Amino acid sequence: MSGELRDDGEDVDLVRDQVRQIVRYKGLIAAGLVVGLAGGAFLALGGANTYAASSSVMVRAATADPFAAGATPDKGIDIGTERQSAMSTTVAEAAAKAVKQPVKKLQHCLQVTNPPNTLVLRFTCAAPDGEDAAAWVNAFTKSYLNDRESATKATIKKMVKGYQDQLDPLVKQRKDLLDQIDATTDSQVIGTLVSVQTNLLSRITELNGDISGLRALDTTPGVVIKPGAVPDAPTGPGTTLMLGLGAAVGLALGLLAAWLRLVFDPRPRSAGEVTRVMDAPVLGTLPGGRGRRGRRGRQGRQGPAGPQPLLAEGQSTGRLAEEYRAIAFRLSHDRRFAARRRLLVVEPRGSSDTAAAVAVNLSASFAEMGKEVLLVEADLRTPSLSGRLRSADPGRPGWARTPGLAEGGWPAGLQLPVDTGEYGSFDLVPGRRVPNVARALTSGQAGRLFAEADDPGTVVVVLAPPVLSYADALALADRVEGVVVVCDPAEVRREDLARVRELVAGAGGAVLGAVLHRAPAAPGRSRFLPRRPRSGRRAAAPASARDAAPTEPFPAAPERHPVP
């Protein structure tokens, strides 16, 4: 039962999250609403100049006794056939001739309906003028009745002619018999002729009765029970109702368009979606698009800007610093991280600027908790942390300004103290360019460096290049089991996050969670359009900025904590 309740709760949360994501597409919803209102207004204004008049005719068949009880000829009427006859070209031509209008115009305006279980035909005609609508519908009604009566009279005339053709020879034959009876004196012959003459007379009487019955039929085709009258108001439900219906339909179309946009959007649109794709919690969301807003602002006022400070110093009471503290506290209470205290910080694609900021600030937050923190820059392709962090010891030797020139391979036993202000300090193992990155990351020296987290109260934070750009992070996943993925949901794809999770799991690591950051949309660009993934020149720009020589590098100081 608890499992079923939990599944139901997850389904409700999923629906709630999808609704929130759909509502975010305010532009599409507003566009659908505007289109619906415009359509409703168009229909309302189009119907304002249209008047409809209607008339009703009760169809009846020709009968000799309209008051006879029981079976009547009306029961033999096929009302469907009569409806088609009322819409025929013959009726339309007669009506058009009566009102002096084109036939096609009248055929276009006419509608003939039949209420269920009745012999009533309802004629409806719409026209720009109310008087024209009434005149046209009455013309159609009269034309239909005249056509039906003409057809009935033509049928009676044809039947009377047929009976008359049978009667004339019989009358002539009877006259001949009468002449023969007058001319003969034989009583036996006279009896025979009289008998024949009696039979002829009976047949003649019968045919005369049939002819009289046909001529006596009531050929009234129908009764107009409601003549067409001039309408008092235009047709249609009215402007208010049409606008309301248009708004409802437009809103539905806008929501449908937003839902389709959400379904086919390859990007994760919420923290819940990132959690489902990564199968790991969202540890936090950095406010304000870290590092991008300031860069754009500086470029707009002062020209191109250099690398931005990574540490959230001077913001100890701000949202950004508190978010980093919250992420560090969540990690410290994660049983998987607490068991090994090794943390690998990576991004899926692009540059590692935000990942570097997350690694530095998490190191500072762990140092504030009283832990011994070692930050390892495992980005050996574009190392930059040593030039962007402030040294805690001003007495370093001159070669420490460019750690890449130190003798020996990476990590070469070099650890630099980093001053984090009120947080305290932590040690940095800076990266350097090496001929073989994979060999350096999997070397015994690197393994012993990561093993420092085995000491009580020690935390090792490792910064690696993007997972989907280089395989460096995968080479470290089995040594630094806990992985934190840093990403911008507006720039990363769901398939990228799923690929990162699969690669990390396949390499022997585990994704502890994700840290989200949001970059503001570029000026003049809609935030509903997907951004292009940063690659090529876009990805190379931060690297070139990191390679620039800092104005105030680490000052000289003796080495600390050499790697065994």
Side-chain angles (χ1 to χ4, degrees):
M1 179 64 69
S2 61
E4 293 179 0
L5 293 176
R6 182 162 52 252
D7 292 342
D8 292 342
E10 291 177 357
D11 292 341
V12 172
D13 291 340
L14 179 61
V15 172
R16 186 184 298 112
D17 183 62
Q18 287 183 348
V19 171
R20 282 198 296 264
Q21 298 307 316
I22 289 174
V23 174
R24 287 187 180 181
Y25 293 101
K26 297 182 178 63
L28 291 175
I29 297 176
L33 185 61
V34 170
V35 170
L37 288 173
F42 175 77
L43 293 178
L45 295 177
N49 296 325
T50 302
Y51 293 82
S54 61
S55 65
S56 298
V57 175
M58 184 177 67
V59 183
R60 61 188 298 269
T63 179
D65 185 3
F67 304 104
T72 61
D74 291 343
K75 294 184 179 180
I77 296 177
D78 186 352
I79 196 64
T81 303
E82 295 297 332
R83 179 176 175 272
Q84 296 298 323
S85 176
M87 300 175 63
S88 65
T89 305
T90 304
V91 174
E93 288 176 351
K97 184 177 180 181
V99 296
K100 299 180 180 180
Q101 293 290 337
V103 176
K104 291 185 178 180
K105 184 176 182 180
L106 264 66
Q107 284 182 320
H108 179 72
C109 82
L110 177 66
Q111 289 184 352
V112 182
T113 57
N114 166 236
N117 302 321
T118 66
L119 294 177
V120 175
L121 291 180
R122 181 174 297 162
F123 294 78
T124 303
C125 201
D129 183 78
E131 295 182 356
D132 288 342
W136 294 356
V137 76
N138 288 327
F140 265 112
T141 304
K142 184 177 180 181
S143 176
Y144 165 70
L145 293 176
N146 292 339
D147 179 74
R148 196 166 185 274
E149 185 174 14
S150 299
T152 303
K153 289 183 177 181
T155 301
I156 292 175
K157 184 178 180 180
K158 184 176 181 180
M159 293 182 67
V160 168
K161 183 178 183 300
Y163 287 143
Q164 191 66 46
D165 291 342
Q166 297 178 39
L167 180 62
D168 290 342
L170 294 178
V171 172
K172 183 179 179 182
Q173 185 178 358
R174 178 175 177 268
K175 185 179 179 182
D176 292 341
L177 287 173
L178 290 176
D179 292 341
Q180 291 178 14
I181 291 172
D182 293 339
T184 185
T185 58
D186 189 349
S187 60
Q188 187 176 358
V189 174
I190 293 174
T192 302
L193 293 176
V194 169
S195 176
V196 174
Q197 187 266 345
T198 302
N199 293 334
L200 286 176
L201 182 61
S202 175
R203 179 59 179 162
I204 290 171
T205 304
E206 182 182 353
L207 290 175
N208 283 328
D210 291 340
I211 293 173
S212 299
L214 287 175
R215 289 175 176 174
L217 286 177
D218 182 7
T219 59
T220 303
V223 179
V224 179
I225 59 178
K226 179 187 176 183
V230 179
D232 298 330
T235 58
T239 303
T240 303
L241 183 57
M242 289 304 300
L243 289 177
L245 291 176
V249 173
L251 183 61
L253 291 177
L255 291 175
L256 177 62
W259 179 77
L260 292 175
R261 180 69 177 86
L262 176 65
V263 169
F264 292 103
D265 191 351
R267 301 168 297 171
R269 302 301 302 176
S270 67
E273 195 167 357
V274 174
T275 299
R276 288 191 295 272
V277 175
M278 295 292 295
D279 195 19
V282 173
L283 301 174
T285 301
L286 304 182
R290 205 214 76 79
R292 297 176 183 267
R293 192 184 306 274
R295 186 180 300 116
R296 286 195 178 97
R298 293 186 183 185
Q299 287 178 353
R301 295 189 302 267
Q302 301 174 1
Q308 300 300 309
L310 298 177
L311 189 64
E313 57 181 342
Q315 305 181 36
S316 58
T317 58
R319 291 177 55 198
L320 183 59
E322 290 301 324
E323 188 67 23
Y324 281 125
R325 287 192 180 98
I327 296 172
F329 274 113
R330 290 192 64 177
L331 286 172
S332 64
H333 288 84
D334 190 302
R335 288 181 296 177
R336 294 173 296 177
F337 173 73
R340 303 298 297 271
R341 299 184 304 282
R342 297 185 180 93
L343 188 65
L344 179 64
V345 182
V346 292
E347 287 195 80
R349 294 186 185 275
S351 68
S352 297
D353 264 0
T354 308
V358 172
V360 169
N361 285 278
L362 287 181
S363 301
S365 298
F366 286 131
E368 188 181 23
M369 297 179 190
K371 300 182 182 296
E372 293 290 334
V373 182
L374 179 64
L375 174 59
V376 180
E377 185 180 14
D379 186 354
L380 308 183
R381 303 176 187 275
T382 54
S384 63
L385 291 185
S386 61
R388 302 174 68 180
L389 297 174
R390 184 173 60 250
S391 174
D393 191 347
R396 302 205 61 77
W399 53 264
R401 294 176 179 270
T402 54
L405 299 179
E407 296 181 358
W410 184 87
L414 178 63
Q415 293 187 18
L416 307 177
V418 177
D419 180 18
T420 60
E422 59 187 20
Y423 291 104
S425 63
F426 60 85
D427 288 344
L428 168 67
V429 177
R432 59 161 295 183
R433 297 181 183 272
V434 294
N436 193 320
V437 175
R439 182 178 299 174
L441 294 177
T442 56
S443 64
Q445 286 183 324
R448 290 190 292 272
L449 181 66
F450 303 143
E452 290 196 12
D454 295 336
D455 296 338
T458 303
V459 175
V460 173
V461 180
V462 182
L463 173 65
V467 179
L468 301 180
S469 299
Y470 306 100
D472 301 358
L474 302 180
L476 302 172
D478 60 337
R479 299 189 175 192
V480 187
E481 296 85 354
V483 179
V484 171
V485 179
V486 182
C487 64
D488 181 357
E491 294 188 354
V492 73
R493 297 175 179 267
R494 286 189 293 267
E495 58 184 14
D496 292 342
L497 296 179
R499 181 62 176 164
V500 169
R501 174 176 55 81
E502 294 172 358
L503 291 175
V504 170
V511 178
L512 300 180
V515 176
L516 308 183
H517 64 95
R518 303 224 177 237
R525 182 181 181 87
S526 171
R527 59 191 180 93
F528 297 105
L529 297 177
R531 300 189 182 99
R532 294 180 179 176
R534 292 179 298 169
S535 60
R537 295 182 180 178
R538 292 178 181 264
S544 61
R546 291 197 301 267
D547 292 341
T551 55
E552 295 183 1
F554 273 86
E559 294 184 9
R560 295 178 56 193
H561 309 300
V563 178

